[in-house]
Amino acid sequence: MRRKGLAIMAAQTVASTSTSAPASTSVDLGPAAALSCRECGQRFELGPVFACVECFGPLEVAYDLPSGSPEELRKQIEAGPANIWRYAPLLPVPADVADKPNLNPGWTKLVKADNLARELGVTGGLFIKDDSGNPTHSFKDRVVAQALEAARAFGFTTLSCSSTGNLAGAVGAAAARAGFRSCVFIPHDLEQGKVVMAAVYGGELVGIEGNYDDVNRFCSELIGDPLGEGWGFVNVNLRPYYAEGSKTLAYEICEQLGWRLPDQLVVPIASGSQLTKIDKGLQELIKLGLVEDKPYKIFGAQAEGCSPVSTAFKAGHDVVRPQKPNTIAKSLAIGNPADGPYVLDIARRTGGAVEDVNDEQVVDAIKLLARTEGIFAETAGGVTVGVTKKLIEAGLLDPALTTVVLNTGDGLKTLDAVAETSQATAVIRPSLDAFRDAGLAAH
Amino acid sequence: MRRKGLAIMAAQTVASTSTSAPASTSVDLGPAAALSCRECGQRFELGPVFACVECFGPLEVAYDLPSGSPEELRKQIEAGPANIWRYAPLLPVPADVADKPNLNPGWTKLVKADNLARELGVTGGLFIKDDSGNPTHSFKDRVVAQALEAARAFGFTTLSCSSTGNLAGAVGAAAARAGFRSCVFIPHDLEQGKVVMAAVYGGELVGIEGNYDDVNRFCSELIGDPLGEGWGFVNVNLRPYYAEGSKTLAYEICEQLGWRLPDQLVVPIASGSQLTKIDKGLQELIKLGLVEDKPYKIFGAQAEGCSPVSTAFKAGHDVVRPQKPNTIAKSLAIGNPADGPYVLDIARRTGGAVEDVNDEQVVDAIKLLARTEGIFAETAGGVTVGVTKKLIEAGLLDPALTTVVLNTGDGLKTLDAVAETSQATAVIRPSLDAFRDAGLAAH
């Protein structure tokens, strides 16, 4: 079934593998020229396909990048809107994308975290890229926005996904704003809060009797069946476009640093896609001359309860052995990360590393970030901050260099993680005597 | 006790009531020149005081506003940071405020809500000013940021407040980032989620055995006592500065409309302070020549279960009779709103109105906004959207005019309000047959 679906969806290979291969004439996705297989290099016309018909490798977007001078391009970007569309010339979207109804995510704060830097002993400058500032409060808005434009270009009218959390809300919200139908698939026994967050946007929300793997299997079946005709699954048949949204994190970080590359980045790993696309974005900026060509190190962060990439990195393996997830960092709990091997490549090539922290360290790191910078991060943010601390202590991350740590989501979405240890410091009668006795007076 | 406190804190009247009265020489709060009594006009030196020693009227900040040309001032503002500090020349903060550690709130999205406009029959342009994009996801970050600067100027080292929700998180986060101690007072039986949100920033969080009124009474006692020395209560002794933060909503709305006044604004009413300061901000923009001097109407929005201002408006009264709140819109549930009479003045002077909606209408409006624009609002946003609908139906709000509706907080903070009616549309087995039988296929 899966093979048949792929064959249907990836019939049209383009004639040449040269970078000047013409884009499909039927769709306008700006500088996106073709899809290209990350394994064998085979090129395909732009379309709702995600795997190579030759070798089943993953497809990614290949570009005809702008040819103007870096000064001109910087000026053009800086004059653009305060969202990801300032980078439209580098994304698989039409030039007029900012005029179409969408959630306009991105351009989130890069917070100089001097208090946290002091606690961790970082002297070279420490920054938090805080993606909780996105419309639905996670980085998923960036990737869904790309998938939406691809869905428009391919004539889809329904936006869909399988999800256990952040993605469901991002898809529901984006579809509502764009006037798309949405249909989101979740395990039937998902926590009530997450169900509400996904359902409030008014799309179809379908509980599947089974676990997340069952949901995914079902979605793959649906894509290959006429029942799913006209459906854009953001993280399946639109995945090559969707994934490109993470490049904008790299662009924003560099522009916000004054068009400079950071020396070190700490990025969470779920499927690993985000980390690989951040690297792709940095490479593009170098190629375009928008930043200086100098080394940078990318560090990957996992939770101990779902650390297949970290385990492979430490063992010196090239392949990633799947693991059954068991961690409070549920947005990172992908036991068989598709981009794991690419992450290993990048960490090794750039001189970075992959590390993991346990759930207690995740909670401690969430509270450390909140206490020092007033940023309340999701568990995934606890993972990156916790791993940063561990890497410094192990001497793997250089505290004298400029370091950017990603927070990809909002603490309001994972309140349970910190509930037990975040309580009132005292409960007193409403009297000055009781207040004095509790030792809370000015000091 | 209260009177003594006031006397201690408001001893220094300035010699003259003219607008050229010199600012206190000891503090630098930029263009803030003095405090002025809103009732009797008496002026006081800038200080941590909030009530007039002459008549007990509320004090507000009086300014020496910039004297340059509108073009110069617009250019200066537009070159400023993408947060409230672009308006530093119009706020009670020092000129270098953007360099001090704070959460840099504001410059939230003004969303053109075409889908919602179609549903409501608005043809003149409908916009949502979406303050859920602030750092702790409510407009409170704007006001707390002003209080923080005043606290710095007056040499306070502890930031404090009484709160039942949004304010606690905003104060905790701002204090953490600024390196202040924080001490937040809440009713001891507050919902667990809100306790966690307030406690995670690591400040003191004190549960008071009693209701919110008991908490407030206790805080007033503490301010007049040596036990509270060095404490800046953002919504009590720093209230005149704190309240000015809401002016930035007016500034941003006009700048985001291209330096134009909207024709109509729909603003929620809790204490009424926000509405009065939005009016003050609009008046300042007119006075400075930054926008054209033309009429605008301000509409106030309340929940039926806490509608003392709406009741007074409809009855044609000048005074507001307190009411015991009973509504799901808890962030607006102030039964005795201090600025109620000023709100009545403004609604009547501008040709606006004050209206209320019941809890069911609040829920419907939250879901309407989510379904049409992908914005998940707090109950307060349901109140403003619901009131907008009701005002249009009643012929009080003109659908042919440009209208801005405020959403002041985030739906993630009031999930309970929509939980019952936001559930999965279907639960099925993971099979194509089950999917077909559920009638969910592409259509």
Side-chain angles (χ1 to χ4, degrees), chain A residues 24-45:
Chain A
S24 162
T25 50
S26 56
V27 298
D28 172 14
L29 287 174
L35 292 177
S36 138
C37 174
R38 208 143 51 159
E39 288 301 322
C40 74
Q42 178 72 42
R43 283 167 78 94
F44 302 88
E45 279 191 7

Side-chain angles (χ1 to χ4, degrees), chain A residues 389-406:
Chain A
K389 184 165 184 280
K390 196 167 172 182
L391 287 168
I392 292 169
E393 286 163 2
L396 291 170
L397 197 137
D398 186 344
L401 297 178
T402 304
T403 304
V404 175
V405 179
L406 265 67

